[in-house]
Amino acid sequence: MSERRPSPAAKNSGNGRNGRSARRSVWRRALPPEQDTAELPEPGSATAGPGDPPSVVDAALYRDGVRVSTPATLAETYRELRDQPSGMAWIGLARPTSDELLSLAAEFDLHPLAVEDAMEAHQRPKLERYGETLFVVLRAARYLDAPEEVDFAELHVFVGPDFVITVRHGAAPDLSAVRHRMEDSPDLLGLGPEAVLYAILDAVVDGYVPVVEGVQNDIDEIETEVFRGDPEVSRRIYELSRETVEFQRATRPLVGMLHNLIAGFAKYDTDEELQRYLRDVADHVTHISERVDGFRQALTEILTVNATLVTQQQNAEMRALAEAGFEQNEEIKKISSWAAILFAPTLVGTIYGMNFREMPELHWVLGYPFAIVLMAIVCTSLYFIFKRKDWL
C-alpha cells in the first residue's frame, strides 16, 4: 500500500484540520450581511423539507482506500471524520438545499464564492483554488436515443486534504458507479482525494464518448436528409448546432483545466501513477474536443450546402414556372390568332345579315360570291400576318 500524500492544496496552506478553526471566522465574515452567524445551521443539522427527496446520496469515510463507515447524516460524517484524523470523507449530494451547503461550508471552510456557485449552478467548467481546497465545475453530458438529444448536467466538486464533496445538478454522471469502481481499487483510492477527483474526471470524459457517437450518427443522417431534400432538415441542423455549441462549451475548457491540474500534481509531487492516469484523461479530452470542433464545422458546411440546394431547387421551380408561363403565352397567342381569323368572316356575315331594305350590293348578282371572296381574303391575310409573327 502506497503512502498517502497530502493534497497539493494542503501543502500550500498547512495542516488542513488544524487550520480549519482558525479560518472559520474569515469564512463567516465573508457571508452576506443578512446571513448572521447565529443563523448558520449547526454542522449536519440540515435536513430536507417535507416530501423532498434526500439530497445526500451517499456519505462514507475511508481509511487506506477501504470504507470504514457509512454515516447516515452529515452531522455523523463530521463527527466521525474528526475522530479519524487519517481518514477521508467522500460526500455525494444531489441538488442540495442551501442549509446543507452552508453546513458543509462551515465544517470544511469552503469559500463563499464557491458555495454560491454550487447553489446557483449554471456555471462554466472551471478549476479554482481557494486556500487548501480545489473547486471544480464540470459539465456532464448523456445522449438520449428516443428524442435524439444531448442532455447536459452540472457537477461541482470540492477537493480538500481529507474530503471530497460532489454536488450534482442533473442526472449525469452516475457517481455511484465511480464510487464502486474506486472501492474495488483500494490502492488507487488510498492515494487520497486527488484519486477521487481523477475518477470523477475520467467518468465525465468517458460519458462524452457515447454523446460523440450519437452526434456523429445524427450528422450522418442529416447529410442523407439534405441530399434527399427533406424540408424539415433545416430545423434539425439548427437544433443540433445548438447542442454542439453547448457540447463545445462543456469540453473545450477541460483541456486547459486538466493541463493546469497535471502541472499542479507534478509540482506537489503527487503519485506518479495518478499523474499518468490524469494525462490519459487529458488526451481523451483533447481528442473529444477536436471531434466536437469538427462537428461544428461540419454542421456549418452542411447548412451551407443545404442553403445552396434549397436555392437551386427554388431556381428550378422558378424556371419551371417561367417555362409554364411562356407555354401558356404561346397557347394564348394561337388562340387569339384563330379567334381573330374566325372573327373576320363573322363580321362580314353579320353586316350582310342585317335586315335593312336599302343596303349596297343587296340585290347584286355577284354580292354573295363577293362576300365569300372577301371573307377568304381577310382570313388568309390575318393567317399570314400571325404566321410571320410566330403566333401560329
Side-chain angles (χ1 to χ4, degrees), residues 138-155:
L138 302 172
R139 293 290 303 279
R142 59 173 181 164
Y143 186 79
L144 305 179
D145 292 324
E148 294 184 338
E149 296 177 350
V150 181
D151 178 47
F152 294 95
E154 198 164 320
L155 177 64

Side-chain angles (χ1 to χ4, degrees), residues 210-255:
V211 178
V212 168
E213 299 302 326
V215 173
Q216 180 65 68
N217 184 65
D218 287 345
I219 291 177
D220 294 340
E221 292 178 356
I222 285 175
E223 288 179 344
T224 303
E225 293 173 358
V226 164
F227 290 101
R228 194 171 55 196
D230 192 332
E232 298 294 329
V233 71
S234 296
R235 176 183 292 275
R236 190 175 181 188
I237 294 174
Y238 172 74
E239 292 174 350
L240 189 58
S241 296
R242 291 187 59 184
E243 292 178 353
T244 303
V245 170
E246 288 295 321
F247 200 10
Q248 199 173 38
R249 291 174 180 171
T251 57
R252 180 176 289 179
L254 280 181
V255 177

Side-chain angles (χ1 to χ4, degrees), residues 118-130:
M119 288 181 182
E120 296 180 356
H122 304 293
Q123 303 294 321
R124 64 176 180 83
K126 61 180 180 179
L127 171 66
E128 299 285 351
R129 183 184 299 277
Y130 297 102

Side-chain angles (χ1 to χ4, degrees), residues 101-140:
L101 286 176
L102 290 175
S103 171
L104 290 165
E107 175 66 21
F108 294 107
D109 296 322
L110 305 181
H111 196 278
L113 292 178
V115 175
E116 182 181 357
D117 289 344
M119 288 181 182
E120 296 180 356
H122 304 293
Q123 303 294 321
R124 64 176 180 83
K126 61 180 180 179
L127 171 66
E128 299 285 351
R129 183 184 299 277
Y130 297 102
E132 61 183 7
T133 303
L134 290 177
F135 177 60
V136 183
V137 178
L138 302 172
R139 293 290 303 279

Side-chain angles (χ1 to χ4, degrees), residues 156-197:
H156 300 233
V157 186
F158 296 90
V159 182
D162 57 354
F163 66 89
V164 176
I165 302 171
T166 59
V167 180
R168 186 159 48 90
H169 296 273
D174 184 8
L175 294 181
S176 62
V178 177
R179 191 184 290 267
H180 293 156
R181 170 194 168 193
M182 294 297 289
E183 290 178 351
D184 291 338
S185 304
D187 290 343
L188 181 60
L189 185 56
L191 296 177
E194 294 91 348
V196 177
L197 177 60

